[in-house]
Amino acid sequence: MTFMKRILAGTAATVALAASMTAAQADTWRYAFEEAITDVQGVFATKFKEEVEANSDHEIQLFPYGTLGESADIMEQTQAGILQFVNQSPGFTGSLIPEAQVFFVPYLLPQDEKELNEFFRTSKAINEMFPELYAEQGLELLTMYPEGEVVMTTKEPVAGPADLNEVKFRVMTNPLLVESYKAFGATPTPLPWGEVYGGLQTNIIQGQENPMFFVESTKMYEVTDYITFAGHNNFTTAIMANQDFFEGLSEEDQKMINDAIDVAFEYILDYQQGLTEESLAAIKEAKPSITVTRLSDEQRAPFMEAAKDVEAQFIEMTGDSGKEILEQMKADLANVSD
Ligand code: 6CS
C-alpha cells in the first residue's frame, strides 16, 4: 500500500468507527402473543413489526401462541425482561391486576362497533388510568383493543341461564369471569387455553366463550354444536412492554414504538370489519349441522339481570380503585354513545 493509500484507508476506518458510535444501536426485540400468526393478535403483531422495522434499525422477533408456553408464561417472561413485548388479554391479566377484570362486567361494553372502537380510542380509563396500574407490575401499557363479540359455544342449546345449569363452562383464569358464569347459572371452570379443545373433546367441559374468528381458527366448532350470541361481551386485549426496557429507550425509539402501535391499532380495527360474519360463514361451511342462535332481548334479560351482581362483585373485589375505573369507563362510554 502506498503512503497516500494508507492515509486514505485509515481515514475511512476512522469515519466508519465514528459513524457506528453515533448511530443508534440496532437491537432485536422479542414480542410474544396468545394466538396464531394469522389470528387477530398475530395480524396486529405483524403490522407492528413492519412499522418498527420500516422506521428504525431494530428488528422484532415474533413468538405466536405455543412457542413460549401459555399466556401466563409469556407474561412472566415479559416481567422478567426475557421478552420486550407481550400481548395478553385482561382475561389472564385480571389475576395480576384485579382492576383489569372490569372488562368482564357483562353488558358493559357497547355492541355497536363504531362506538366500541371510539371508546378504545378515547377512553381515559384505558389511556390514562390503566397505564398506572400496569406500571405497578413493571409493565408499560401500550394500548388495548377489541377482538370481537364473544359467543358461547356449547354441546347443548342455550336460550337462558337454566340451560347452563350443570354445564362445566371453561373461562380464562380470572376470578370475575368465574363469578360471571356462576351468575349465568353455569359451573365455571378456569383453564389455560391449551386445555380447552381436549377438555371439550373428552367432555371434561361442555362449553367455552370466545370471539367468532377464534372459534373458527381453533376449530372449537368441531367439539361443540351450538353457537349462542348473548351480546354479553366483546373480547378485549392489551399490548405491553417490559417497563425497564421501555424506559431505557431513547425518546426517539419510544415515539417510534408508540407511532407503530397507533398504526397497528387502526389497522386491526379496520381488519376486523366483517370478520365475525366471515368466520361464521366458514364455520357453517365446515360444519353445516352447527346451530347458531342470536338471543332475543327477552332471552338476554336474565343474563343482563345477573350482570348487576357481577358488577357488585367487581367492586367488592377491587375496592375504591376498581370503583373509580368502572365509573370512569362508564363516563368514557357515555361520551361515545349517541
Ligand atoms: O380463550 C382464550 O384463552 C384465548 N382467546 C383469545 C381470543 N385469544 C387468546 C386467549 O388465549
Side-chain angles (χ1 to χ4, degrees):
M1 206 184 260
T2 64
F3 177 69
M4 212 39 216
K5 272 190 180 159
R6 225 178 285 148
I7 290 193
L8 284 175
T11 311
T14 313
V15 169
L17 179 68
S20 75
M21 284 168 71
T22 50
Q25 200 190 327
D27 288 317
T28 299
W29 295 330
R30 290 179 288 275
Y31 176 139
F33 47 101
E34 307 169 303
E35 298 173 2
I37 193 80
T38 47
D39 284 334
V40 171
Q41 290 185 15
V43 173
F44 184 103
T46 304
K47 191 71 190 170
F48 176 73
K49 173 183 163 74
E50 275 170 23
E51 285 297 306
V52 167
E53 293 180 355
N55 294 301
S56 74
D57 290 332
H58 304 301
E59 217 179 286
I60 301 274
Q61 207 178 352
L62 296 178
F63 294 92
Y65 172 75
T67 54
L68 296 175
E70 286 287 351
S71 197
D73 302 313
I74 56 176
M75 175 54 92
E76 269 179 31
Q77 290 157 18
T78 307
Q79 286 182 299
I82 299 165
L83 298 175
Q84 284 70 45
F85 298 96
V86 68
N87 190 148
Q88 191 189 55
S89 144
F92 294 105
T93 322
S95 50
L96 190 69
I97 303 169
E99 293 85 347
Q101 299 180 106
V102 73
F103 294 100
F104 298 94
V105 172
Y107 298 100
L108 181 62
L109 295 180
Q111 286 162 40
D112 178 82
E113 202 173 270
K114 272 208 184 120
E115 227 175 85
L116 184 75
N117 292 351
E118 200 48 24
F119 162 72
F120 275 91
R121 274 190 201 104
T122 57
S123 164
K124 196 174 162 206
I126 288 181
N127 299 303
E128 293 175 29
M129 292 169 86
F130 271 119
E132 287 179 17
L133 297 170
Y134 278 69
E136 286 169 18
Q137 301 300 326
L139 298 164
E140 178 78 23
L141 178 63
L142 297 172
T143 197
M144 289 187 175
Y145 64 87
E147 290 196 59
E149 179 175 348
V150 169
V151 296
M152 302 179 191
T153 81
T154 49
K155 297 188 179 222
E156 300 293 334
V158 176
D163 297 319
L164 289 173
N165 188 25
E166 309 252 306
V167 172
K168 291 202 196 78
F169 201 101
R170 180 269 175 172
V171 291
M172 288 181 282
T173 52
N174 97 51
L176 197 71
L177 246 180
V178 168
E179 292 311 323
S180 206
Y181 270 88
K182 259 191 216 163
F184 283 179
T187 305
T189 312
L191 287 174
W193 174 247
E195 292 175 41
V196 182
Y197 190 99
L200 287 164
Q201 203 172 26
T202 53
N203 208 32
I204 288 168
I205 48 173
Q206 295 91 35
Q208 66 92 34
E209 60 157 35
N210 253 310
M212 212 52 176
F213 82 87
F214 205 61
V215 172
E216 198 263 319
S217 70
T218 61
K219 302 196 185 307
M220 283 296 106
Y221 58 86
E222 290 180 349
V223 283
T224 46
D225 299 308
Y226 296 86
I227 294 178
T228 307
F229 288 78
H232 65 293
N233 209 359
N234 197 293
F235 195 97
T236 296
T237 201
I239 316 288
M240 296 139 264
N242 171 289
Q243 205 178 28
D244 289 342
F245 152 75
F246 192 81
E247 285 179 348
L249 295 173
S250 64
E251 268 179 36
E252 191 191 342
D253 275 346
Q254 289 182 354
K255 181 176 179 321
M256 180 275 298
I257 287 172
N258 282 322
D259 289 348
I261 287 287
D262 290 347
V263 171
F265 175 87
E266 288 301 331
Y267 183 82
I268 207 65
L269 297 186
D270 195 42
Y271 171 82
Q272 290 184 77
Q273 276 183 36
L275 189 59
T276 295
E277 292 70 26
E278 280 166 37
S279 309
L280 186 53
I283 292 174
K284 280 183 178 162
E285 199 176 325
K287 183 171 173 172
S289 65
I290 196 94
T291 303
V292 182
T293 311
R294 282 175 202 275
L295 298 188
S296 64
D297 289 349
E298 209 178 307
Q299 287 171 318
R300 288 176 188 204
F303 289 113
M304 292 177 99
E305 192 55 35
K308 291 181 191 158
D309 284 349
V310 183
E311 183 174 317
Q313 292 195 47
F314 170 73
I315 291 170
E316 210 173 287
M317 279 178 191
T318 55
D320 286 347
S321 144
K323 199 167 173 216
E324 226 179 290
I325 287 262
L326 180 65
E327 277 167 10
Q328 185 59 51
M329 265 180 76
K330 286 185 176 173
D332 296 341
L333 286 163
N335 281 340
V336 295
S337 78
D338 337 289

